[in-house]
Amino acid sequence: MRTYDIQAPDTRIRDDIQRKIDNLNKPKGSLGTLEDIAMQLCLVQQRLTPSLNHPCHLLLGGDHGIEKEGVSASPREVTWQQMVNFTLGGGGVNMFCRQHSFHLRIVDVGVDHDLSHTDGIIHRKIAYGTRNFLYEPAMTYQEMDQALTVGEDLVDQCAMEGCEVVCIGEMGIANTSPSSIWMSLFAHIPLPECIGAGSGLASPGVSHKQHILQQALDRYLATEEQSTENIIRYFGGFEMVAAIGAMLHAAERHLIILIDGFIMTACAMAVLQLYPEAKSYMIFGHQGDETGHKRMLEAIGARPLLNLGLRLGEGTGALCAFPLIDSAARMMNEMNNFEHAHITKYF
């Protein structure tokens, strides 16, 4: 697997940032989590006046071979149908991108449908879905490398436009299945505790999903090398590995990365297995309603900004959290301090 130059932000500016925060005309610490976000923004950007210029949202689509085992309540054609819907502006992700002025890129990384003639989709298809990891690795090492490159290239395109904030979402029926296995392997949590209803399985469906995924995991543990790279390759979706590539390169380029729900947190967990320093660039938007997401966030020591019972995916939860990040930046740039406001400093 390729290497990345990811360094934690220089902390020599921390005292200056804290001094500015504490001298804003408010009681010390009174803006709580917004002050923590402001500190993170300033550290990443290495300045006292953070900005969130040209925010971009990457919506990555891909299908999964494991879907053929009946592990999802939704059929795989929903993936391509929703991808088309996104181009028409009709998805939840479209609404929130419009609301918060995010530039949306819709990308076919591995959808099991020919979308090459669909306007509004960036065509980076690696294959028509991954292989079924119940029987074989989901992708080859070459395909994994291609998917990482897709994510990196998208981040480069955003950065060339002046982007300072990258948000990532996914569309891929059955992608909670690889996410659950990644969670189990990376966080050392028993697999049944990592598996939920996905897009709406009833109890018998969840039991079937657990049975299939346990079979796949047992076969992997008995026959495969258990490195981080191989875990990513063996179970991941093309859209998920592209997200990993995007996160790694965004951290390399010192961009703010907004992390969405269960699937994107699983991708973030994979990133942190490789480069723990990348966490400095991540802001976790929300705690989703999928079983295990809370435990996954706890395993990586992440504090989500929202807890609204969301489980749509597409990056919608991270987009919903963006106004809080914007408020933190505005606090640093627009709020007066005691001296300029001629207010007695009362602490």
Side-chain angles (χ1 to χ4, degrees):
M1 191 167 177
R2 68 190 67 189
T3 58
Y4 296 81
D5 181 17
I6 298 176
Q7 306 292 329
D10 190 333
T11 59
R12 287 177 292 182
I13 195 176
R14 178 183 289 275
D15 288 346
D16 291 334
I17 300 167
Q18 191 64 56
R19 192 175 300 111
K20 180 173 180 178
I21 292 172
D22 290 345
N23 280 303
L24 297 174
N25 54 298
K26 61 174 181 59
K28 188 175 182 179
S30 60
L31 284 177
T33 299
L34 294 184
E35 299 187 19
D36 297 334
I37 299 170
M39 173 63 77
Q40 184 176 1
L41 295 177
C42 291
L43 283 172
V44 167
Q45 297 182 347
Q46 291 289 291
R47 57 180 184 260
L48 303 182
T49 54
S51 56
L52 303 171
N53 293 322
H54 192 65
C56 288
H57 186 76
L58 308 178
L59 194 287
L60 308 170
D63 278 302
H64 296 252
I66 195 66
E67 177 272 339
K68 295 176 182 177
E69 302 299 326
V71 295
S72 173
S74 303
R76 72 166 44 205
E77 60 262 29
V78 170
T79 302
W80 75 260
Q81 291 166 356
Q82 277 284 45
M83 293 289 282
V84 172
N85 181 44
F86 297 146
T87 69
L88 303 175
V93 66
N94 302 95
M95 172 184 66
F96 292 127
C97 282
R98 287 192 296 267
Q99 180 183 5
H100 304 308
S101 300
F102 273 72
H103 178 73
L104 174 63
R105 282 179 163 85
I106 305 165
V107 189
D108 174 9
V109 192
V111 178
D112 189 10
H113 190 81
D114 184 4
L115 295 170
S116 60
H117 301 294
T118 305
D119 291 338
I121 291 180
I122 297 171
H123 305 288
R124 296 296 301 271
K125 192 191 299 288
I126 296 167
Y128 285 80
T130 57
R131 298 167 185 81
N132 186 344
F133 64 66
L134 180 60
Y135 305 108
E136 59 182 323
M139 64 187 74
T140 66
Y141 280 106
Q142 181 180 359
E143 288 170 334
M144 179 174 71
D145 193 68
Q146 285 180 260
L148 291 168
T149 298
V150 170
E152 294 169 12
D153 290 348
L154 291 167
V155 166
D156 280 337
Q157 291 168 23
C158 293
M160 283 189 291
E161 297 167 359
C163 171
E164 295 178 308
V165 180
V166 175
C167 188
I168 308 170
E170 42 65 38
M171 183 64 227
I173 296 303
N175 59 12
T176 60
S177 291
S179 299
S180 296
I181 292 180
W182 282 1
M183 174 184 172
S184 178
L185 290 172
F186 292 144
H188 308 290
I189 296 173
L191 183 60
E193 298 175 30
C194 305
I195 296 173
S199 59
L201 288 171
S203 293
V206 174
S207 297
H208 172 73
K209 182 178 178 180
Q210 289 181 357
H211 175 70
I212 293 297
L213 297 188
Q214 190 65 60
Q215 277 189 292
L217 179 57
D218 289 344
R219 180 176 288 112
Y220 170 81
L221 293 174
T223 61
E224 292 284 329
E225 173 197 358
Q226 295 171 41
S227 65
T228 297
E229 293 88 345
N230 201 37
I231 291 169
I232 292 170
R233 177 188 73 95
Y234 198 96
F235 297 105
F238 292 128
E239 83 284 18
M240 297 169 70
V241 179
I244 289 172
M247 291 178 193
L248 286 165
H249 196 43
E252 197 170 38
R253 295 196 65 144
H254 295 255
L255 303 179
I256 297 294
I257 310 165
L258 303 190
I259 306 297
D260 189 48
F262 187 65
I263 288 94
M264 287 298 101
T265 304
C267 293
M269 178 176 279
V271 165
L272 297 178
Q273 293 291 308
L274 297 167
Y275 293 91
E277 300 83 2
K279 187 180 175 186
S280 300
Y281 303 91
M282 297 175 175
I283 296 178
F284 292 81
H286 73 112
Q287 179 184 307
D289 199 39
E290 177 70 18
T291 298
H293 191 204
K294 180 175 185 289
R295 292 194 65 184
M296 191 189 295
L297 290 164
E298 290 172 347
I300 57 180
R303 184 172 61 170
L305 298 182
L306 302 174
N307 186 351
L308 301 176
L310 303 174
R311 57 181 179 89
L312 174 59
E314 304 172 13
T316 50
L319 290 166
C320 282
F322 180 72
L324 296 175
I325 302 164
D326 185 39
S327 293
R330 289 176 181 272
M331 178 193 81
M332 294 298 285
N333 295 326
E334 300 178 20
M335 197 168 178
N336 213 340
N337 61 32
F338 286 103
E339 181 181 357
H340 291 160
H342 304 293
I343 296 173
T344 301
K345 192 171 183 179
Y346 49 87
F347 60 85

